[in-house]
Amino acid sequence: MLSKRIKKIKESGIRKFFDLAAENKGSFIDLSIGQPHFPVSAKLKKAAKIAIDSNCNSYTSSAGRPDLRKKIAAKLRAENNISAKPEEIIMTAGVSGALFLAFGACLDPGDEIIVPDPYFVFYKEILTFLGIKIVFLDTYPDFHIDSEKLKKLITPKTKAILLNSPNNPTGAVYTKEELKKIAQIAKKRNLLIISDEIYEKFDYDDKFFSIGSIYKNTLTLNGFSKSQAITGWRLGYAHGPQYIIEAMKKLQQYSFICAPSLVQAALETEMNLSLSEEIKKYKAKRDFVYENLKDKFDLNRPEGAIFAFVKIPKGKKNFSEKLMDNKLLAVPGKVFSKKSNYFRISFAVDDKILKKGVQILRKLAQ
């Protein structure tokens, strides 16, 4: 009774660990899940309660609340140097919702999209589900994009390039010069760039740059799940050429209908909450992980996001199983890549938990 396309995709390797941790609370040192661990702002919680009590519980337009889109357009102009108008923005059910709408609106079965490897798990499975051909761009070992490698992957069937910076799972943040070269390549071939920028605020070395500021044929995707620690509230947005946004809106009318109304209302009043203190703490966690693992493991210093992508030491067989045996949850690298000799850890946890996790990793690397 199942469709052929649903049989092509796998259960999320990340959600398996989420379920395992939930079912065995307190039994594991959990460095597997990619969500901020700081509390939701009291102001934002209050705004959500007010939204419910003010009866913001019905459908909104499929594009989203007008005043919120105005504020996001202003944010994109001020912070990202993107010339944005409210009518070029659609509110979505998280960035995952924006990605689904973008893929569905812009790509046909058989079209090719270039995806840097390693990649966020959602990309591969949903593109496969939709029948779109993925052409992987190997970014090992520094996880940055080599423009010459990129050029060689483009064919007459190439329609888009998918970027994710700051990157999940690697923590790489693409530089302005790197993105300029990508934009030049895309412009020459009239390619669409889909830029997933959900970890924008988690930029520890001030490298973050929005490619949409220099290349108009860009869909910029972002949201509030990470920056406001509201992963369960599901609110994202997309900005891009108006004809693409209109097409995404049409698909949204027959799928998600609209993004969560009460969350839109809450963020409309409390969109600009400061993350500066949390980012300082996460930068310190990043530094702790790197400084305490670099002599035992081959890893790059994460430049952003909340992850380290760590190479398994040579000769260490069944490393993922050994992590589990030592009550440490980390996601195997094969979940994010065609390669399998890495694993991902999240440092978005309490310092005590992080120290215990690092101690276990150091012991296993002996």
Side-chain angles (χ1 to χ4, degrees), residues 77-117:
R77 292 192 299 269
E79 297 182 19
N80 303 79
N81 202 27
I82 294 173
S83 180
K85 301 174 183 176
E87 56 267 29
E88 298 167 343
I89 292 166
I90 183 172
M91 304 308 303
T92 61
V95 169
S96 294
L99 285 161
F100 186 86
L101 295 175
F103 296 159
C106 298
L107 302 171
D108 288 314
D111 284 344
E112 294 181 2
I113 181 170
I114 296 173
V115 178
D117 179 350

Side-chain angles (χ1 to χ4, degrees), residues 23-38:
E23 291 165 7
N24 298 273
K25 213 157 193 177
S27 300
F28 290 93
I29 301 296
D30 186 8
L31 304 184
S32 68
I33 302 302
Q35 63 180 0
H37 80 300
F38 53 81

Side-chain angles (χ1 to χ4, degrees), residues 13-246:
I14 297 175
R15 301 307 296 180
K16 284 182 182 178
F17 284 92
F18 182 90
D19 293 341
L20 182 63
E23 291 165 7
N24 298 273
K25 213 157 193 177
S27 300
F28 290 93
I29 301 296
D30 186 8
L31 304 184
S32 68
I33 302 302
Q35 63 180 0
H37 80 300
F38 53 81
V40 178
S41 158
K43 288 183 178 180
L44 187 53
K45 288 181 183 179
K46 183 178 179 180
K49 292 172 187 175
I50 290 172
I52 293 170
D53 291 337
S54 301
N55 296 317
C56 297
N57 305 306
S58 304
Y59 296 130
T60 69
S61 74
S62 289
R65 288 171 65 99
D67 285 349
L68 179 57
R69 287 186 288 128
K70 286 178 185 177
K71 288 191 173 185
I72 290 170
K75 180 265 180 197
L76 289 169
R77 292 192 299 269
E79 297 182 19
N80 303 79
N81 202 27
I82 294 173
S83 180
K85 301 174 183 176
E87 56 267 29
E88 298 167 343
I89 292 166
I90 183 172
M91 304 308 303
T92 61
V95 169
S96 294
L99 285 161
F100 186 86
L101 295 175
F103 296 159
C106 298
L107 302 171
D108 288 314
D111 284 344
E112 294 181 2
I113 181 170
I114 296 173
V115 178
D117 179 350
Y119 47 80
F120 177 50
V121 292
F122 181 97
Y123 305 156
K124 177 176 179 289
E125 301 305 328
I126 297 303
L127 288 166
T128 298
F129 178 78
L130 294 171
I132 297 153
K133 183 179 178 183
I134 305 167
V135 178
F136 290 110
L137 170 62
D138 189 326
T139 65
Y140 290 88
D142 68 351
F143 307 127
H144 282 263
I145 293 177
D146 183 324
S147 58
E148 292 305 313
K149 282 185 183 179
L150 175 61
K151 286 180 189 176
K152 291 176 183 177
L153 296 179
I154 296 172
T155 75
K157 291 185 177 181
T158 305
K159 199 166 181 183
I161 301 168
L162 178 56
L163 302 176
N164 175 212
S165 174
N167 185 270
N168 175 9
T170 68
V173 178
Y174 303 151
T175 66
K176 183 177 181 178
E177 290 307 311
E178 197 174 351
L179 291 167
K180 278 184 177 179
K181 290 179 182 178
I182 295 168
Q184 289 168 358
I185 293 167
K187 185 177 181 179
K188 189 175 181 180
R189 302 294 187 116
N190 193 30
L191 301 178
L192 174 67
I193 289 177
I194 302 173
S195 183
D196 178 351
E197 301 179 2
I198 189 61
Y199 288 101
E200 173 188 359
K201 299 297 183 184
F202 299 84
D203 170 30
Y204 307 119
D205 303 314
D206 297 323
K207 291 183 179 180
F208 176 77
F209 181 79
S210 284
I211 193 168
S213 65
I214 56 171
Y215 185 60
K216 290 184 178 180
N217 201 17
T218 297
L219 271 177
T220 300
L221 312 183
N222 210 327
F224 305 96
S225 293
K226 312 300 182 182
S227 63
Q228 302 300 336
I230 51 172
T231 54
W233 290 23
R234 311 310 302 139
L235 188 64
Y237 61 86
H239 168 269
Q242 191 171 349
Y243 76 96
I244 294 180
I245 297 301
E246 288 297 323

